[in-house]
Amino acid sequence: MKHTISVTVEDRPGALTRITTMFARRGFNIDSLAVGPTERPGVSCITLRVDCAQHTLEQIEKQIHKLVNVLRVTELVPGDAVERELMVIKVSAEPERRAELVSTAEAFSGRVLDLGPDAVVFELVGTPEELDSFHELCRPHGVRELVRTGRIGMSRASSKRPRSPRLAAIN
Amino acid sequence: MSSARIRGADAILRSLEAEGVPVMFGIPGGAIMPTYDAMAHGTTVRHVLARHEQGAGHMAQGYARASGEVGVAIATSGPGATNLVTPIADAWMDSTPLVCITGQVRSTLIGTDAFQECDITGITMPIVKHSWLVQDAREIPAVMKAAFHIARSGRCGPVLVDVPRDVQEAELEFAYPDQVDLPGWKPPTKVHPLQIREAARVMAGAEKPVLYVGGGTINADACGELLALAEAGRMPVITTLMGKGAFPETHGLHFGWPGMHGPKWSNLAMNSCDVLVAVGSRFDDRVTGKLAAFAPGATVVHLDVDAAEISKLRSADVPVVGPLKKALRELAREVGRLREEGAPAPEGWLQKIAEWREEFPLRYGSTPGVIKPQLVTEQLQSLTAGEDVVVTTGVGQHQMWAMQYLLSERPRSFISSGGLGTMGYGIPAAIGAKAARPEATVVCVDGDGCFQMTCQELATAVLEDLPIVVVLVNNEHLGMVTQWQDMFFGGRRSHVHLTRAVPDYARLAEAYGAVGITVREEDELQPALEEALGLGRTVVVDVHVDPTEQCFPMIPAGAAAVDMIEWEETEGVEAAS
Ligand SMILES: Cc1ncc(C[n+]2csc(CCOP(=O)(O)OP(=O)(O)O)c2C)c(N)n1
């Protein structure tokens, strides 16, 4: 099962490395990872996507929680969280097929970032699943390059769940 | 606190003094020289000069485990720091509180492959609770405060403070903080009352309970509370190698040690119990063997300060997270109350384990003219019973015989490398223990292989006046490996013979200024041990034991308790015990 974990950390040297080292050492795999600042100065948020069983997820949460720079660990539960990702994709596009591509991108609220003689660079923001769909649709045209930021997310404004149900029981 | 302008190097020492550290263990070198120079200017912290940084690290561990305080090791950058890696890994596995201070090359040289530069914070990241590369001398007081706090709070363990040379030389206003500022470090301080109540109910209702006690109990200083709980519930106690000493082993409720070389009665009890109460223990594979077959019928109650240990390997039916001292105290009260209300004590079960102990005692053979290694630990036990003795060990067969035959009466009196199984741990750990407990007799039960990994520290023991008694169970082999080759690799001996010719251990001891005694005949053994224990000097008693003796019982790695291999009487060999 895929899970998204949101980790807030003190912005200290090595804070990210300690998390990734722990994953490597304990044999946990990371599907995607995104890091950036938060509303609090000196605090960063790391969003991790992992593919593991429930038991392993609990282990991962507890092990992350033990790291000294980690302030909070939360699972972003589907339905109770919003998740977004940014993708930049360069697609082959002969002039005659360009209009079709651009209108497909528009359907996904994508933007044209750059136009070349035989290619277009699109920017897309959406749920990771939306980005997957757009990627699929671009495939027949020829995808030359693609980068994605990895997903980020937070609990919904209407969420009533405690921040971290499992860890709340522990501490 | 009033402040004064001092150098970073002085700040390190003032911090150690503020922490009340009486002794540190180390070796100087380029990148840590400012701090050693600061020592020359004066400090109340005693420095014990080791002969190898691994020795310094294990001494700090021995000190920590014998005293219950944080151990401190100090080394230079590069090779000095990498030599500390083994003790750090060992302290990580065995949850020993340790602060390691390493010099680092100047900040301006970091990243340039400078002389003796090594990314020690990177190398040790998977084996420390936390580490710091100090970038500004002004950070030193807060970092040192945090280092000690983290090493000893929650589940104990090692931390590393790496200080570049220019940071040691830079000046700062020194004021040692009263409090730590660690918003992300909040080990549990409370125990959930509902979890306690549920645990007590399960324990008091058990027909066949077992308290499976690990080193966490000693680290938590919760041995008195454990005794109260065991007595209140009349529940049998089985202590792991790391938990040895957490419960008096001459007490009627103590029933041995679990796992690979545990006695049959202990493993029968562990595997037939209906409620297994893990107390600061972690279901290590050397204890459980094949996990799926371990204690199959047991409801598991797991008490630990580290939430991540709970259900890591064996799913806990009743998790109790929190400091063991509180948890055990409350459980003792609650279980005592339930007993008074009529929940019957498991007297029949205690009887049953006692019968197993009668039926399947530890046994070994006797061959005329050879000294059995078990006799060495047996005699050591009878000579030291009731005395204030701290025992350390190396790793191998002798370690297991020490576990089987030496009865620890008190916490912190048995110090052995459990999780990492580090050969060479025994001698330096004994020296550190002696620094912690000068009034105690400190004995290192060592193997001839282990001895040769750290025997240069005999110089430290002699010159620093930290006398230890090394009892060398000399079987002229890397015995435990030999045993595995003989049992599981078709008897093909591959690179395990050490010989008895080289070195001459007694003469080597003498060369270090220690006393060396060689024991070749059985009747020399007891007088030699007696002499060694009474000398008050560093002594090596080199006992030439049966080179073919194997350690039993044994549950092969990955096997279940039912696959236990027991000692069998062979022709011409009589059972001695
Ligand atoms: C540093 C290290 N290297 C290798 C091993 C593997 N090992 C485990 S026990 C053992 C033999 C120990 O020999 P000795 O000290 O003579 O003790 P004995 O088993 O003979 O009592 C070895 C090589 C280890 N545990 N630690």
Side-chain angles (χ1 to χ4, degrees):
Chain A
M1 246 270 288
K2 301 242 185 196
H3 305 273
T4 309
I5 308 170
S6 169
V7 186
T8 48
V9 297
E10 288 181 282
D11 198 0
R12 291 281 165 81
L16 175 64
T17 319
R18 282 176 214 280
I19 293 179
T20 52
T21 304
M22 189 279 290
F23 268 76
R25 179 175 102 63
R26 298 215 179 252
F28 306 142
N29 286 318
I30 303 177
D31 274 12
S32 89
L33 181 147
V35 195
T38 64
E39 78 286 0
R40 289 160 65 188
V43 175
S44 302
C45 181
I46 301 172
T47 313
L48 293 150
R49 183 79 169 161
V50 294
D51 188 357
C52 64
Q54 186 63 32
H55 168 261
T56 309
L57 177 71
E58 286 176 26
Q59 257 299 303
I60 290 174
E61 285 187 346
K62 289 173 179 176
Q63 295 292 356
I64 296 178
H65 194 69
K66 278 207 288 182
L67 297 171
V68 169
N69 294 139
V70 169
L71 301 172
R72 203 174 78 202
V73 187
T74 336
E75 187 192 350
L76 296 180
V77 183
D80 197 57
V82 283
E83 294 186 352
R84 285 296 176 272
E85 189 172 2
L86 168 66
M87 172 166 83
V88 179
I89 183 168
K90 189 187 287 167
V91 190
S92 298
E94 299 305 321
E96 61 274 16
R97 299 200 59 189
R98 226 177 242 177
E100 179 199 337
L101 252 178
V102 170
S103 67
T104 311
E106 274 167 2
F108 283 84
S109 311
R111 279 208 313 144
V112 174
L113 282 190
D114 192 34
L115 274 174
D118 57 357
V120 190
V121 178
F122 293 105
E123 167 207 274
L124 244 91
V125 174
T127 65
E129 295 71 29
E130 285 166 346
L131 303 191
D132 291 344
S133 311
F134 184 68
H135 180 193
E136 275 312 309
L137 293 172
C138 291
R139 241 186 242 282
H141 297 265
V143 174
R144 294 199 187 168
E145 261 182 83
L146 176 152
V147 282
R148 291 169 69 151
T149 55
R151 68 176 75 201
I152 54 170
M154 61 176 64
S155 62
R156 289 184 179 278
S158 55
S159 172
K160 290 196 181 58
R161 291 171 68 94
R163 273 174 170 178
S164 181
R166 234 168 268 110
L167 290 168
I170 290 162
N171 285 326
Chain B
M1 205 179 181
S2 67
S3 63
R5 218 167 158 74
I6 56 173
R7 296 186 315 156
D10 300 303
I12 293 172
L13 297 182
R14 298 299 85 79
S15 302
L16 295 176
E17 289 161 7
E19 288 291 338
V21 173
V23 58
M24 59 183 151
F25 305 86
I27 298 184
I32 195 73
M33 282 187 71
T35 300
Y36 273 78
D37 187 48
M39 290 180 208
H41 282 90
T43 171
T44 57
V45 187
R46 175 183 182 187
H47 178 276
V48 170
L49 177 64
R51 294 298 182 271
H52 189 298
E53 289 84 356
Q54 183 189 354
H58 292 325
M59 286 176 206
Q61 289 185 274
Y63 171 82
R65 285 179 59 185
S67 68
E69 305 293 330
V70 177
V72 178
I74 181 162
T76 191
S77 66
T82 54
N83 277 349
L84 279 179
V85 170
T86 300
I88 293 172
D90 194 283
W92 170 256
M93 293 294 272
D94 285 347
S95 306
T96 308
L98 196 64
V99 170
C100 292
I101 300 165
T102 48
Q104 181 53 278
V105 300
R106 291 178 183 285
S107 311
T108 48
L109 292 175
I110 289 178
T112 67
D113 305 316
F115 178 63
Q116 294 194 330
E117 183 188 358
C118 165
D119 176 12
I120 194 62
T121 51
I123 286 175
T124 55
M125 205 164 268
I127 50 171
V128 293
K129 287 178 84 175
H130 200 61
S131 53
W132 295 262
L133 170 56
V134 183
Q135 284 163 340
D136 187 318
R138 287 169 296 186
E139 294 171 13
I140 289 173
V143 165
M144 293 294 286
K145 179 84 186 174
F148 277 85
H149 177 73
I150 291 172
R152 69 177 156 230
S153 56
R155 177 177 180 175
C156 296
V159 299
L160 177 89
V161 182
D162 196 27
V163 194
R165 193 179 158 146
D166 53 316
V167 174
Q168 296 168 52
E169 288 164 345
E171 288 196 344
L172 69 149
E173 290 291 332
F174 182 81
Y176 201 63
D178 301 326
Q179 301 212 310
V180 286
D181 177 25
L182 295 167
W185 179 247
K186 294 207 174 57
T189 54
K190 290 196 292 272
V191 198
H192 208 290
L194 288 179
Q195 287 169 299
I196 290 287
R197 210 167 310 153
E198 178 62 7
R201 192 188 62 77
V202 170
M203 284 156 76
E207 283 172 20
K208 297 183 288 175
V210 163
L211 296 172
Y212 149 45
V213 173
T217 315
I218 299 172
N219 274 344
D221 189 23
C223 302
E225 289 75 6
L226 171 69
L227 182 65
L229 171 63
E231 289 184 340
R234 302 259 323 134
M235 289 176 288
V237 177
I238 293 177
T239 46
T240 68
L241 187 71
M242 293 305 300
K244 196 171 163 70
F247 194 84
E249 297 187 338
T250 46
H251 192 287
L253 289 171
H254 189 263
F255 287 96
W257 316 272
M260 187 174 270
H261 291 286
K264 186 168 181 178
W265 73 81
S266 312
N267 280 313
L268 279 173
M270 291 283 281
N271 282 284
S272 352
C273 68
D274 64 352
V275 171
L276 186 67
V277 186
V279 185
S281 50
R282 59 181 178 85
F283 295 87
D284 180 72
D285 56 273
R286 284 300 188 262
V287 165
T288 63
K290 187 178 174 187
L291 195 59
F294 177 67
T299 299
V300 172
V301 179
H302 196 161
L303 282 60
D304 209 295
V305 72
D306 180 1
E309 279 308 329
I310 297 196
S311 300
K312 181 182 81 177
L313 289 160
R314 170 74 178 250
S315 174
D317 301 288
V318 186
V320 181
V321 181
L324 292 184
K325 205 174 170 72
K326 276 186 193 170
L328 290 172
R329 190 191 300 138
E330 288 172 30
L331 276 174
R333 193 185 317 126
E334 196 69 3
V335 169
R337 192 177 60 77
L338 292 169
R339 283 279 182 270
E340 272 166 31
E341 286 175 11
E347 298 301 338
W349 169 236
L350 291 169
Q351 188 71 41
K352 183 79 212 162
I353 310 173
E355 280 166 26
W356 281 332
R357 186 165 52 187
E358 286 296 309
E359 196 177 341
F360 312 108
L362 289 170
R363 295 195 311 160
Y364 62 91
S366 84
T367 316
V370 291
I371 306 175
K372 288 290 174 181
Q374 296 91 330
L375 187 69
V376 182
T377 46
E378 253 186 341
Q379 289 204 351
L380 199 55
Q381 168 58 24
S382 54
L383 290 172
T384 57
E387 306 280 324
D388 186 8
V389 173
V390 177
V391 174
T392 71
T393 77
V395 170
Q397 293 177 313
H398 64 280
Q399 177 190 32
M400 295 296 103
W401 287 315
M403 176 190 81
Q404 293 176 342
Y405 290 95
L406 296 173
L407 301 180
S408 301
E409 297 284 344
R410 280 174 293 271
R412 309 196 175 284
S413 64
F414 187 90
I415 298 172
S416 186
S417 170
L420 199 65
T422 309
M423 285 175 72
Y425 182 82
I427 290 177
I431 294 170
K434 185 68 183 177
R437 300 278 321 283
E439 72 291 356
T441 304
V442 179
V443 179
C444 167
V445 176
D446 221 355
D448 40 332
C450 294
F451 179 91
Q452 294 188 68
M453 291 210 176
T454 47
C455 61
Q456 71 275 31
E457 302 303 345
L458 289 174
T460 311
V462 169
L463 295 173
E464 296 275 352
D465 193 24
L466 295 167
I468 58 166
V469 178
V470 181
V471 177
L472 193 64
V473 184
N474 181 353
N475 56 8
E476 62 180 289
H477 284 86
L478 295 168
M480 189 57 95
V481 179
T482 312
Q483 176 167 351
W484 283 46
Q485 289 178 354
D486 288 354
M487 291 175 69
F488 312 118
F489 291 87
R492 287 177 299 282
R493 296 275 179 96
S494 180
H495 308 285
V496 286
H497 191 219
L498 299 173
T499 81
R500 224 164 239 163
V502 180
D504 179 326
Y505 294 93
R507 283 176 62 204
L508 185 66
E510 300 280 350
Y512 276 116
V515 178
I517 305 173
T518 311
V519 174
R520 293 185 186 82
E521 305 296 333
E522 197 172 304
D523 56 4
E524 299 166 358
L525 178 60
Q526 186 168 334
L529 290 177
E530 257 173 293
E531 183 191 346
L533 291 167
L535 271 179
R537 289 183 59 190
T538 292
V539 194
V540 175
V541 187
D542 173 19
V543 189
H544 292 194
V545 301
D546 186 349
T548 62
E549 187 66 12
Q550 298 184 330
C551 185
F552 291 111
M554 177 173 194
I555 302 172
V562 292
D563 303 321
M564 177 182 289
I565 304 168
E566 293 175 75
W567 177 80
E568 274 173 44
E569 245 165 293
T570 44
E571 229 171 311
V573 182
E574 282 169 52
S577 165

